[in-house]
Amino acid sequence: MAQTKYLMSNGLAFSEQKDMETLRKKALKGWNLKGFRFMGYKLEYGEPEDVIYSIDYRLLAPDEEAEYFEMFSSAGWTHVCSEYDRHIFKAEPGTAPIYSDIESKIDKIDRLANPIKMVVLFLVGMMLAFWLLFTFASGIVQSVSRGIFLFFLVLTIPALMTLFATYYHRWKKLKERNNHSVI
Amino acid sequence: MKSLEQLTDSVFYIMAALTEPRHGYAVMNLVEETTNGQVVIGPASLYTIIKKLLNEQLISLHDDTDSRRKVYVLTKKGCDILREDIKRRKIMVELAEKGLERRWE
């Protein structure tokens, strides 16, 4: 039975690059990425691997998978694991990056941000609804809706922070594009 | 690629490669070889751009018998857009070339 351990993610919306670097350092010590776990990764102990990791977000229809993974493998990127719309690849150091142009990189951030946006919209909507209820209702309805409002408030704050983090990365990429349009 | 009037270099290269039917890997190879390795289109960028071009109907699926290597080709609309962008790029290059010629006269 292979030895496995759990590695916690720093949050892909916040620092995807940091996660990929950590995975590389772990692989150099023999802890190789095996799959996604709740808010993190599963590593398995084995031969040390000198590899770099990259992640992509894309929801694939069943008839799109073969072509998508083939493009990566022909470019030297081996598919490691997937979960829903997340796919991690590994390659030898020095392999050309999976994203070569800024426009596609921005699209990638948008694909990451869209589901977060939906969650934030839902939470803010619920929060507003219960805020109205506890402002205009009275008695038991008021105190119950106040509780629910606070519950949604607590969930909304980290969700908003995550969304802002993705917007920040997007803004940085836009600035990069405007400063020097190399590719 | 919100505005198609100005194609990015990556989009331009991919559309240029798809003037003839090709699959993704062939597009990557052609661009890399033609530019002597100066331009390497990453697989994620390639996939993103192919999906966009399909959406905008600038390319179409030519042959999908091999699901791992689907073949695409530029549509009529795609050809028109590519021609427009060639014009734009020619103006750029001519401006520079003429300027340099005058300078060394």
Side-chain angles (χ1 to χ4, degrees):
Chain A
M1 201 50 199
Q3 214 184 332
T4 62
K5 73 175 178 185
Y6 172 79
L7 174 73
M8 184 147 157
S9 166
N10 290 295
L12 288 169
F14 294 96
S15 62
E16 170 193 310
Q17 211 43 49
K18 207 167 146 195
D19 271 20
M20 295 304 116
E21 276 157 26
T22 311
L23 286 174
R24 164 165 168 76
K25 280 183 202 143
K26 295 282 177 193
L28 283 170
K29 290 180 192 151
W31 286 100
N32 301 313
L33 176 66
K34 274 290 161 265
F36 286 96
R37 283 296 173 268
F38 179 67
M39 287 175 74
Y41 310 95
K42 179 192 175 186
L43 310 180
E44 194 178 279
Y45 193 70
E47 283 290 306
E49 284 182 3
D50 185 8
V51 287
I52 49 174
Y53 288 97
S54 273
I55 187 166
D56 192 23
Y57 315 104
R58 184 174 286 281
L59 196 55
L60 294 166
D63 65 330
E64 292 176 324
E65 282 173 11
E67 183 193 24
Y68 176 77
F69 292 124
E70 171 73 15
M71 276 189 200
F72 281 80
S73 71
S74 19
W77 287 92
T78 312
H79 178 230
V80 182
C81 56
S82 292
E83 189 183 74
Y84 190 54
D85 63 344
R86 287 154 188 209
H87 316 282
I88 294 188
F89 301 88
K90 65 178 178 185
E92 275 174 37
T95 306
I98 63 167
Y99 279 95
S100 51
D101 68 320
I102 291 174
E103 281 75 16
S104 304
K105 271 186 211 164
I106 293 171
D107 287 349
K108 173 192 182 185
I109 297 173
D110 287 344
R111 285 196 301 276
L112 175 69
N114 280 338
I116 305 171
K117 222 186 291 176
M118 299 303 284
V119 170
V120 167
L121 272 177
F122 170 75
L123 290 174
V124 168
M126 293 303 270
M127 214 173 68
L128 276 177
F130 284 98
W131 178 77
L132 283 173
L133 204 56
F134 105 78
T135 308
F136 295 109
S138 58
I140 182 87
V141 177
Q142 187 186 33
S143 43
V144 168
S145 51
R146 185 170 179 273
I148 301 177
F149 163 74
L150 287 174
F151 170 75
F152 279 112
L153 181 68
V154 167
L155 291 181
T156 305
I157 291 167
L160 265 179
M161 279 165 62
T162 312
L163 186 62
F164 285 142
T166 62
Y167 280 147
Y168 172 69
H169 287 304
R170 192 179 196 280
W171 171 77
K172 267 205 323 203
K173 286 279 172 261
L174 278 173
K175 225 176 81 178
E176 209 177 304
R177 181 178 65 180
N178 296 339
N179 285 352
H180 57 96
S181 45
V182 179
I183 298 174
Chain B
M1 211 172 65
K2 272 161 201 124
S3 139
L4 285 167
E5 278 139 39
Q6 209 161 310
L7 308 176
T8 66
D9 284 0
S10 299
V11 173
F12 187 91
Y13 275 120
I14 293 170
M15 286 177 73
L18 290 176
T19 46
E20 289 166 57
R22 282 196 171 89
H23 54 72
Y25 181 48
V27 170
M28 268 196 264
N29 271 345
L30 181 71
V31 174
E32 195 172 339
E33 274 166 29
T34 320
T35 62
N36 293 317
Q38 295 253 337
V39 178
V40 180
I41 294 175
S45 286
L46 179 68
Y47 194 85
T48 307
I49 292 170
I50 284 183
K51 283 286 160 192
K52 270 187 176 174
L53 292 173
L54 274 173
N55 253 337
E56 303 280 343
Q57 290 162 353
L58 301 190
I59 61 170
S60 62
L61 192 58
H62 181 74
D63 180 6
D64 64 349
T65 40
D66 183 352
S67 65
R68 294 184 311 132
R69 293 187 172 187
K70 291 181 187 163
V71 177
Y72 303 96
V73 72
L74 218 54
T75 59
K76 167 83 177 52
K77 188 182 168 195
C79 290
D80 293 344
I81 300 258
L82 186 62
R83 276 197 199 98
E84 279 304 305
D85 207 69
I86 291 173
K87 263 190 229 161
R88 179 183 73 86
R89 285 169 190 267
K90 267 190 181 155
I91 293 171
M92 248 163 64
V93 172
E94 272 167 25
L95 176 70
E97 276 179 348
K98 282 182 186 153
L100 284 172
E101 275 166 26
R102 275 198 295 275
R103 182 180 159 147
W104 298 113
E105 258 167 24

